[in-house]
Amino acid sequence: MPSSNGDSSPSVLAKPERERPPLLKKSRTISGGGPSRSSQSSSSGSGSFPGVIHERDWYYPSFLGPHTARNRVKVKANPKPPKLELPPLPARRAHQAASAASGRNLVASKAEEMKKVEQVLLLKSSSSVSLSTATTAANSSGMSGLGGSAVLYLLSVACVVSVSMTLFQLIRAEKLQGEIFELRRVCNAINEVPDNDLMVSRLGNFGFYTYLGGATANSRGMALYTAVVLLMILFILFKCLDYFPQISIYVKRARNNEEEVPLKKRIAYRVDVFFSVYPYAKLLALLFATMLLIGFGGLALYSVSDGSLAEALWRSWSFVADSGNHADMVGAGTRIVSVSISAGGMLIFAMMLGLVSDAISEKVDSWRKGKSEVIEKNHVLILGWSDKLGSLLKQLAIANKSLGGGVVVVLAERDKEEMELDIAKLEFDFMGTSVICRSGSPLILADLKKVSVSKARAIIVLASNENADQSDARALRVVLSLTGVKEGLSGHVVVEMSDLDNEPLVKLVGGDLIETVVAHDVIGRLMIQCALQPGLAQIWEDILGFENAEFYIKRWPQLDGMSFEDLLISFPDAVPCGVKVAANGGKIILNPDDYVLKEGDEVLVIAEDDDTYSPSPLPEVRKGFFPHIFSAPKYPEKILFCGWRRDIDDMIMVLEAFLAPGSELWMFNEVPEMEREKKLIDGGLDLSGLVNLKIVHREGNAVIRRHLESLPLESFDSILILADESLEDSIVHSDSRSLATLLLIRDIQSKRLPCKESKSTLRHVGFSHSSWIREMQKASDKSIIISEILDSRTRNLVSVSRISDYVLSNELVSMALAMVAEDKQINRVLEELFAEEGNEMCIRPAEFYVYDQEELCFYDIMLRGRQRKEIVIGYRLATAERAIINPAHKEIPRKWSLDDVFVVISSGD
């Protein structure tokens, strides 16, 4: 192959085939004068054409093996053009009052020097324009050809420096122009040249400044140049952020061998974080944009108008504030600038209106959604939402009636508007009590602080509409959140539990501040007591609710040293029930036996309100002859359970304690028999340890008549219709099932039992129009049916027909929660009255205390009941349908019938 000088290279031909260098990429040859041609380099490194640059070595891949590199040819750069030098400016003359000839020579020399300065300035301006054009061309042609970010950085710096030098020279030229004009004025004053000739000569000699418009025009031109140059610099900086070497080094250090993120994205992210973190970032950005628009607009307006800079800035602000102010502007340049400022002002005000609208909407939305803070103290705080809330609010409002109303705050994970709408549907007069709803989670400390949890006098945690374990687990988390409040709690916490087995864990976490009310356990025990003693449900409603009489505890120092028997008749408007013993750690003793009050003891009473009773002197009473009639012995009973509750094992244990030996418990539900026994054993019930009860299992559906007809419904003493465990989450379906079962059982009983007209003359006189209801009422005289009703609306359906003695579950639980919230000590009283051991609420016949038609006052009956170790708290006359608890005018005698009954608190012995 011929070499570059035309000779053949024997060393290359002698090489074996395996050592031949590989074919390379097509090389480019750049020649100074001759035509370009390609050549293949030899291993001997022969010469090449002068002035030619070969790029073979740049493209030779290193992994293909060794090769002889060709020496690169160095290209000599063209010599730099000669540098332009400014002529030295002459010094200012010290004596300006010389002769006329010397003045003319001086002016002529100044004029020649200014012409040279104009040429230099024009050359500088053209060089700056060319450099700017080169910079723009470098940006548009791509950064790879110019060597990357370094070249662009140098060009940007050169552009900025050239523009700065241009402005400096313009300022310097303006100073020189002022000096020359002053010299001309002095010279013309000496030669007595008119002012008009002076202006003409000035305009004729300074053409460049004539274009700029004189001294004022120079400042306006500089203002225009400044605005344009600043905008160009900002644009170049924005376009070239990713190519600055300093920023690239920072990015390389910060990325830690990760994928490089463009600087624009990083800046956009920082701006986004700034707007998200700082609440006033949008307002500051709007203010900055407004000031920037006013500044640039003022400079541009100053450059094209005749006014001062301050006037131009004020006009710029007026255009921004009112887009119609530019209508009276004259001149093309002035109109273009004013329209641009007005357009920017419309954009600024559109942004401002958007920010104001968003701020107002956000604030109104926070009010609507209940995100604002509650500034209250000594209020009742309810955490959660359930079907018991309506009756709970009603009881709290009645309790605060004597105080002129209170404040109840509800915090639940629901929308505020929905909660307020549901509360408004209650159609109940809250009697001055304010109900405030807030949307939030009781598990979040910030939401708890929002409702002033540390200042609440009582906190009620409602059970959720879930199964028992999930509801109690959530209540436990809420208690943990309450214990984590840094400010502490000033009031006590009442927690509604669903399962009795979970109660110890909540008390362990909460300590002494926690009071628990196990809803299912309370209702189950009440159902059994009401099944064994008909009419007890109404008495419990009167005592637990704040509408009638309820429990109160208060200290009366004037009663220290008085026996409990005398204490019974010391309150005309209350019935004492027990004593809170100070010497025993504040333990409450119900129905104490021969106790004398000591210092620090408090008295537990049943009264209308806490401010409606006070002790008075002992009245004169007579005990009379006490009827020596003792309680009848217990007989075996036959009870039916329809449905399955999760705490049915606890109900069986209570029945085992109350019933006589030989009693039977029939369980009728859809749970298979083998699974029933397993559930009862898992609940802690020892089936082999039942002495008084015999359990009989029947499987079937309680709403199917055929299944119910297989049971001996006419032989049961009491029938309990339970809210089935499978329908606990839906109170409507549960109550519908209970109501259907009740009607089916009464209808079957009415067809099987013999007709009895006795007992029904007075009770059912108002319902003779319906033979169907009358037949079921006759059946109700034979057996007692207790229905577990969850919804208060279903109460009317049951009470109108009077075919069942019912228990209103949710309302009774709400009453108990409200009572414990008002006074945590009452929980000890309720726990003892609901338990199978200790004191209990009973209904006794009148023959235990009076003779037929005997005339006695209520104080006399209370003292006779005390001889039986009982406390008589009320009575129900034979002609009345409701019992009277804590009767008024206890000192007035009246005649009693043996058909009357008395309500007492008995020790149960």
Side-chain angles (χ1 to χ4, degrees), residues 608-860:
E608 183 71 22
D609 208 341
D610 57 351
D611 57 351
T612 59
Y613 71 98
S614 61
S616 63
L618 295 178
E620 295 183 0
V621 295
R622 60 185 184 88
K623 298 180 180 179
F625 297 99
F626 183 77
H628 296 284
I629 300 177
F630 299 94
S631 301
K634 293 182 179 180
Y635 295 98
E637 296 189 30
K638 193 174 183 180
I639 299 177
L640 172 65
F641 280 179
C642 288
W644 184 274
R645 287 167 53 106
R646 59 176 171 269
D647 60 343
I648 200 170
D649 53 323
D650 297 327
M651 297 178 67
I652 294 175
M653 295 176 65
V654 175
L655 277 178
E656 169 71 15
F658 278 134
L659 296 180
S663 301
E664 291 184 1
L665 173 61
W666 288 54
M667 301 179 65
F668 178 71
N669 49 67
E670 299 181 66
V671 180
E673 184 176 348
M674 298 300 296
E675 188 175 348
R676 294 182 198 178
E677 294 182 356
K678 183 178 181 302
K679 287 185 175 182
L680 292 175
I681 294 174
D682 292 341
L685 180 63
D686 185 10
L687 296 177
S688 60
L690 298 178
V691 178
N692 300 330
L693 273 181
K694 175 186 177 183
I695 299 180
V696 180
H697 294 283
R698 290 292 185 271
E699 185 175 349
N701 194 338
V703 295
I704 298 178
R705 186 183 185 93
R706 184 180 69 258
H707 294 176
L708 289 174
E709 288 178 344
S710 64
L711 301 174
L713 296 177
E714 69 280 359
S715 62
F716 293 110
D717 299 296
S718 301
I719 299 176
L720 276 68
I721 302 177
L722 310 177
D724 201 88
E725 184 180 17
S726 60
L727 298 175
E728 283 182 350
D729 297 339
S730 176
I731 63 173
V732 176
H733 293 166
S734 178
D735 287 350
S736 300
R737 183 184 180 91
S738 299
L739 187 58
T741 303
L742 170 63
L743 295 176
L744 286 174
I745 290 176
R746 281 307 188 197
D747 187 49
I748 295 174
Q749 285 182 339
S750 64
K751 292 179 172 54
R752 293 183 182 180
L753 293 174
C755 293
K756 293 184 179 180
E757 298 295 337
S758 60
K759 293 187 182 181
S760 60
T761 304
L762 294 176
R763 292 180 59 187
H764 311 132
V765 66
F767 298 90
S768 59
H769 60 278
S770 175
S771 60
W772 174 70
I773 294 181
R774 188 165 59 250
E775 289 177 357
M776 287 192 289
Q777 289 169 350
K778 295 174 183 177
S780 67
D781 294 333
K782 174 63 179 177
S783 63
I784 301 170
I785 296 183
I786 303 296
S787 302
E788 183 179 4
I789 303 299
L790 303 179
D791 192 354
S792 59
R793 293 172 293 183
T794 315
R795 173 181 182 178
N796 298 329
L797 300 177
V798 181
S799 60
V800 164
S801 59
R802 301 188 183 183
I803 57 177
S804 173
D805 191 1
Y806 60 92
V807 173
L808 193 58
S809 298
N810 283 351
E811 192 161 351
L812 284 176
V813 174
S814 301
M815 292 175 180
L817 290 172
M819 183 168 289
V820 178
E822 291 296 324
D823 191 352
K824 59 182 292 187
Q825 306 174 97
I826 304 300
N827 199 22
R828 308 282 85 80
V829 180
L830 299 180
E831 287 177 353
E832 182 173 352
L833 292 177
F834 290 151
E836 61 268 17
E837 297 179 356
N839 290 276
E840 60 180 344
M841 198 85 66
C842 301
I843 297 178
R844 300 294 192 200
E847 59 185 7
F848 284 10
Y849 310 98
V850 298
Y851 295 99
D852 192 18
Q853 301 302 317
E854 185 177 7
E855 187 173 356
L856 295 172
C857 66
F858 192 75
Y859 282 137
D860 298 333

Side-chain angles (χ1 to χ4, degrees), residues 188-258:
N188 291 332
I190 295 174
N191 297 329
E192 297 180 355
V193 179
D195 294 338
N196 293 335
D197 297 339
L198 176 63
M199 295 303 297
V200 170
S201 64
R202 181 185 180 192
L203 293 175
N205 291 333
F206 302 101
F208 176 70
Y209 295 101
T210 303
Y211 174 75
L212 293 178
T216 306
N218 288 338
S219 62
R220 300 184 190 281
M222 284 188 292
L224 180 61
Y225 292 156
T226 303
V228 174
V229 168
L230 288 177
L231 288 176
M232 289 177 59
I233 292 175
L234 291 176
F235 178 77
I236 292 174
L237 289 176
F238 177 74
K239 286 294 185 181
C240 306
L241 280 175
D242 294 336
Y243 304 103
F244 291 160
Q246 294 87 349
I247 300 177
S248 301
I249 293 173
Y250 173 76
V251 172
K252 290 179 181 179
R253 291 178 179 177
R255 65 185 181 182
N256 294 328
N257 298 327
E258 295 180 358

